């Protein structure tokens, strides 16, 4: 089966149209004001309503409060919540129970010890996103366009579905799949011409390259 691709950080109707045509499995919307990909709830609702059936709509949040999540989930039709902050396993379980939506927890990896946190999150999340750890002092917890050492997770098996992120591009995604065995991939800056500016041709090329791997 071809790997499933998530295109994250959609902020314009043209982005959603490109994702819809590409064959990607997930469409991601970022609710984090510091990000160049940030969308308001009103924008996200409009975009989410454009996403075709069969493509999962994912809200990326960072240390969101219940009030913030209440507002997002009340107005935006979603299929999944992606937690990209410092949420504890207890907080992940709490969010999953409160909203009744599948939850994906993002975890940053830079060295072998970073993988030790995964089992605790596996127990409470529906999916795990294995991402490159943000550099010290970085404004963004993800979307920095940096890969990590893929050999750290080569041959790893987890009990829950997982997704690879961090510095993926149309040029390196096949290698990433070969090195890690990933069958789900998350890309944001790797399909942009500038921060937050998605390119339809790059989205198409990324999904095609992943499928051909």
């Amino acid at each position: 089966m071809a790997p499933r691709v998530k295109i994250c950080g959609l902020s314009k109707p043209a982005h959603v149209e490109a994702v819809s045509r590409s064959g990607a499995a997930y469409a991601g919307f970022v609710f984090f004001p510091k990000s160049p990909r940030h969308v308001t709830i009103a924008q996200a609702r409009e975009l989410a309503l454009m996403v075709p059936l069969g493509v999962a709509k994912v809200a990326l949040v960072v240390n969101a409060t219940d009030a913030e999540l209440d507002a997002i989930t009340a107005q935006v039709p979603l299929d999944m919540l992606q937690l990209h902050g410092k949420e504890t396993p207890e907080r992940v379980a709490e969010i999953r129970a409160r909203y009744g939506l599948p939850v994906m927890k993002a975890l940053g990896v830079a060295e072998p010890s970073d993988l030790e946190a995964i089992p605790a999150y596996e127990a409470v999340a529906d999916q795990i996103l294995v991402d490159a750890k943000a550099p010290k002092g970085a404004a963004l917890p993800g979307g920095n366009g940096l890969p990590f050492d893929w050999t750290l997770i080569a041959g790893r098996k987890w009990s829950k579905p997982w997704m690879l992120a961090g510095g993926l591009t149309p040029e390196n995604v096949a290698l990433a799949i070969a090195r890690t065995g990933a069958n789900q991939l998350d890309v944001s800056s790797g399909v942009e011409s500038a921060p937050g500016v998605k390119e339809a041709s790059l989205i198409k090329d990324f999904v095609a390259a992943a499928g051909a791997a």
Side-chain angles (χ1 to χ4, degrees):
M1 198 171 80
R4 292 162 59 82
V5 172
K6 175 171 170 278
I7 309 294
C8 197
L10 310 180
S11 60
K12 292 182 170 56
H15 299 170
V16 176
E17 289 167 11
V19 169
S20 302
R21 291 194 301 268
S22 72
Y26 301 85
F29 305 103
V30 175
F31 296 88
F32 187 56
K34 291 181 180 178
S35 171
R37 304 163 189 98
H38 171 68
V39 287
T40 64
I41 290 175
Q43 286 174 312
R45 175 177 172 78
E46 179 187 343
L47 295 170
L49 289 170
M50 292 175 58
V51 175
L53 285 173
V55 178
K57 301 174 290 294
V58 183
L60 184 158
V61 297
V62 180
N63 303 320
T65 64
D66 284 351
E68 290 167 336
L69 289 169
D70 286 351
I72 292 168
T73 55
Q75 298 178 61
V76 184
L78 293 169
D79 300 298
M80 180 176 284
L81 296 171
Q82 178 179 329
L83 309 182
H84 218 107
K86 295 182 178 178
E87 300 88 0
T88 63
E90 293 74 22
R91 177 60 175 155
V92 173
E94 189 179 275
I95 289 171
R96 190 172 181 270
R98 181 181 176 93
Y99 298 100
L101 286 169
V103 171
M104 180 189 301
K105 178 66 182 97
L107 295 166
V109 173
E111 53 193 47
S113 61
D114 293 323
L115 299 171
E116 294 170 7
I118 291 180
Y121 286 100
E122 269 188 292
V124 291
D126 296 277
Q127 296 203 39
I128 298 295
L129 179 73
V130 183
D131 197 0
K133 200 171 199 175
K136 213 164 196 175
L140 306 177
N144 293 293
L146 300 169
F148 63 95
D149 180 0
W150 294 324
T151 63
L152 291 174
I153 60 169
R156 293 264 182 169
K157 302 291 182 190
W158 288 296
S159 63
K160 296 288 178 70
W162 66 279
M163 190 175 285
L164 178 67
L168 297 174
T169 66
E171 291 75 30
N172 71 10
V173 65
L175 178 61
I177 293 168
R179 290 267 172 89
T180 66
N183 62 11
Q184 296 199 108
L185 307 131
D186 186 330
V187 65
S188 187
S189 60
V191 290
E192 294 178 345
S193 57
V197 183
K198 295 285 187 288
E199 290 294 332
S201 61
L202 292 176
I203 291 172
K204 178 184 175 184
D205 290 349
F206 186 94
V207 176

